[in-house]
Amino acid sequence: MQKGSEHGKATRIIHNRRHKDSFGSPYSPIYNTTTYRFPDTAALQEVIAGRAPGNLYTRWGSNPSIQELEQGLASLEEAEDALAFASGMAAISAALFAHGRNGIVCVGDLYGGTQELLTKHFEPLGIPVTFLLKHDPQQLAHALNKPGMLVYCESPANPTLSILDIRELAQQAHAKGALLAVDNTFASPVNQRPLNLGADLSLHSASKFLGGHSDITAGAVMASAEQIKPIAQWRKNLGQILAPETAALLSRSLRTLPLRVKQHNENALAVARAMEGHPAIKRVLYPGLPDFPGHNLAKQQMDGFGGVLTIEIKGDREQAVKVADNLQVFLLATSLGGVESLVSQPCATSHHGISQEERERRGITDGMLRLSVGLEDAEDLVADLQQALGKL
């Protein structure tokens, strides 16, 4: 791990080397194996006990392809350690089980799947969960009523793109003996590194920007070695490891991440600016717009504003559906962060499992369309939105 390295993000990830290939390949080959042989029992026991280096069993994360990926993930967030998972929800669930059993306080908007996990599974297991609609220091202090709790948030959040002050949240959590976990999926490590702002855990759905091509499902957690250790136990025992083939694909994708995110940022800002003031649009939610409520804070803690924005159509759910159905360049699909642009209606996809009352309480309206802005020509994306809006 290259914490404190003088090299930049792109250089670090391209020259990530954990395994030295004996045949001279610049990158580690795929170790498509589940187990490893030993010359004798004594050698096996040395590896199991941690007294000697070596691999034992891929389900435990003991695989060169996976380990090289994790070294690259840690480097991106300037973390001591990282774990790769079979999905973003696998990463979230393992981290919450490892560090949230004394109670979890969620701040701001969350992905619908995370809310469903907390309300339908964690609360019935007796794990206290508190949801705060926004960052209120007094409410947060009151909710953190015992040591060892976990504060969990997204910034930017799904789908409102709301921005939270990560540094301030970390200070308040630590003052109460709690940890702070930040879902950094929407920003990516190129635009934001929560650990440098004081957070203890940074989580990703690696299916999104980290993967970048809509062809792998994976997740990641970056943190200190101390915080990673209990999460690794949950991953091992829940069987949440990703396949070596997926790890190799994700490692390959990471090498182009800085270039891809730079273009995502530029395209999304161009689309957001073009949609401002459109007569059919009620509001545009994007941290890069000067009138966005969290714009100044985003400028302070982010290096770029990301590739996702949300537009709210004037009218009802059917009006938003009509726009989505008439788009030709934007593909009607869930997920985000790929090279292709996608459109989805949060009330029908990412937040479908949340009651309409709860969505309205959080300002997630039926007229919202979330746009994952890809790497196409920005002019084509703007023209596509304009023609679809023109059919209302």
Side-chain angles (χ1 to χ4, degrees):
M1 204 286 304
Q2 301 93 342
K3 185 175 174 64
S5 169
E6 70 278 8
H7 294 142
K9 291 184 288 291
T11 304
R12 290 200 307 271
I13 192 60
I14 289 172
H15 291 279
N16 169 42
R17 299 288 188 278
R18 183 180 183 98
H19 171 80
K20 302 294 185 182
D21 180 58
S22 60
F23 293 100
S25 171
Y27 300 107
S28 182
I30 300 174
Y31 278 79
N32 192 7
T33 182
T34 59
T35 191
Y36 306 84
R37 66 181 183 183
F38 291 84
D40 50 51
T41 300
L44 184 150
Q45 290 178 333
E46 286 292 299
V47 171
I48 290 179
R51 292 188 294 267
N55 293 304
L56 183 70
Y57 194 49
T58 289
R59 179 173 65 81
W60 294 13
S62 182
N63 181 288
S65 301
I66 297 169
Q67 290 164 343
E68 184 166 292
L69 166 64
E70 291 174 339
Q71 183 184 23
L73 291 168
S75 177
L76 278 173
E77 291 267 14
E78 299 180 45
E80 283 186 354
D81 209 348
L83 290 174
F85 288 80
S87 70
M89 285 306 300
I92 291 169
S93 61
L96 294 181
F97 272 123
H99 294 292
R101 282 171 292 169
N102 288 338
I104 302 167
V105 180
C106 301
V107 181
D109 296 320
L110 298 179
Y111 167 56
T114 305
Q115 286 186 241
E116 187 174 351
L117 171 70
L118 291 166
T119 56
K120 293 188 178 180
H121 300 288
F122 274 68
E123 288 182 330
L125 288 172
I127 298 173
V129 181
T130 301
F131 294 95
L132 303 181
L133 288 181
K134 59 182 180 179
H135 181 200
D136 183 323
Q138 291 184 338
Q139 282 189 323
L140 180 58
H142 179 73
L144 294 172
N145 51 25
K146 57 184 175 182
M149 295 181 70
L150 180 70
V151 178
Y152 183 89
C153 70
E154 298 176 10
S155 185
N158 184 10
T160 61
L161 284 300
S162 60
I163 304 294
L164 292 171
D165 190 329
I166 296 173
R167 195 181 302 277
E168 185 179 348
L169 274 174
Q171 292 172 350
Q172 292 170 0
H174 296 159
K176 289 286 189 174
L179 299 178
L180 173 63
V182 179
D183 186 327
N184 197 34
T185 298
F186 269 39
S188 89
V190 176
N191 287 331
Q192 180 174 265
R193 290 161 297 285
L195 303 183
N196 289 346
L197 297 169
D200 301 285
L201 307 168
S202 182
L203 301 94
H204 291 266
S205 170
S207 317
K208 312 301 192 296
F209 289 105
L210 297 184
H213 295 81
S214 302
D215 58 0
I216 62 172
T217 302
V221 178
M222 294 80 142
S224 69
E226 179 185 359
Q227 305 302 344
I228 283 289
K229 190 174 181 179
I231 303 174
Q233 292 297 311
W234 280 98
R235 182 184 71 172
K236 181 184 79 169
N237 293 325
L238 291 176
Q240 297 174 313
I241 197 68
L242 77 173
E245 299 95 330
T246 304
L249 281 172
L250 184 51
S251 289
R252 184 188 65 178
S253 293
L254 293 183
R255 295 171 202 140
T256 62
L257 181 66
L259 280 173
R260 289 188 286 106
V261 170
K262 180 181 179 182
Q263 194 60 51
H264 282 297
N265 292 344
E266 292 180 7
N267 281 3
L269 182 58
V271 170
R273 285 173 173 167
M275 292 299 99
E276 275 192 305
H278 192 287
I281 293 179
K282 184 176 180 179
R283 57 176 176 160
V284 179
L285 302 176
Y286 184 66
L289 297 177
D291 61 350
F292 181 78
H295 176 68
N296 290 333
L297 179 57
K299 286 198 302 182
Q300 294 172 22
Q301 64 186 26
M302 299 179 72
D303 296 327
F305 301 114
V308 181
L309 63 110
T310 294
I311 59 175
E312 185 175 357
I313 307 300
K314 291 179 180 177
D316 54 19
R317 181 171 182 155
E318 286 68 31
Q319 295 291 89
V321 167
K322 188 173 183 179
V323 173
D325 287 352
N326 278 294
L327 288 167
Q328 298 171 3
V329 180
F330 282 86
L331 306 179
L332 182 61
T334 59
S335 198
L336 57 103
V339 296
E340 67 290 320
S341 292
L342 304 177
V343 59
S344 65
Q345 196 172 11
C347 68
T349 56
S350 62
H351 289 71
H352 173 71
I354 307 302
S355 69
Q356 183 169 358
E357 181 184 12
E358 179 64 16
R359 291 199 303 268
E360 291 175 353
R361 199 166 73 97
R362 293 179 173 274
I364 302 171
T365 69
D366 288 352
M368 282 183 168
L369 292 176
R370 191 188 71 189
L371 306 177
S372 174
V373 180
L375 305 187
E376 303 94 340
D377 293 298
E379 296 84 357
D380 294 332
L381 298 175
V382 171
D384 190 34
L385 284 162
Q386 289 174 338
Q387 66 82 21
L389 290 164
K391 294 178 180 178
L392 289 177

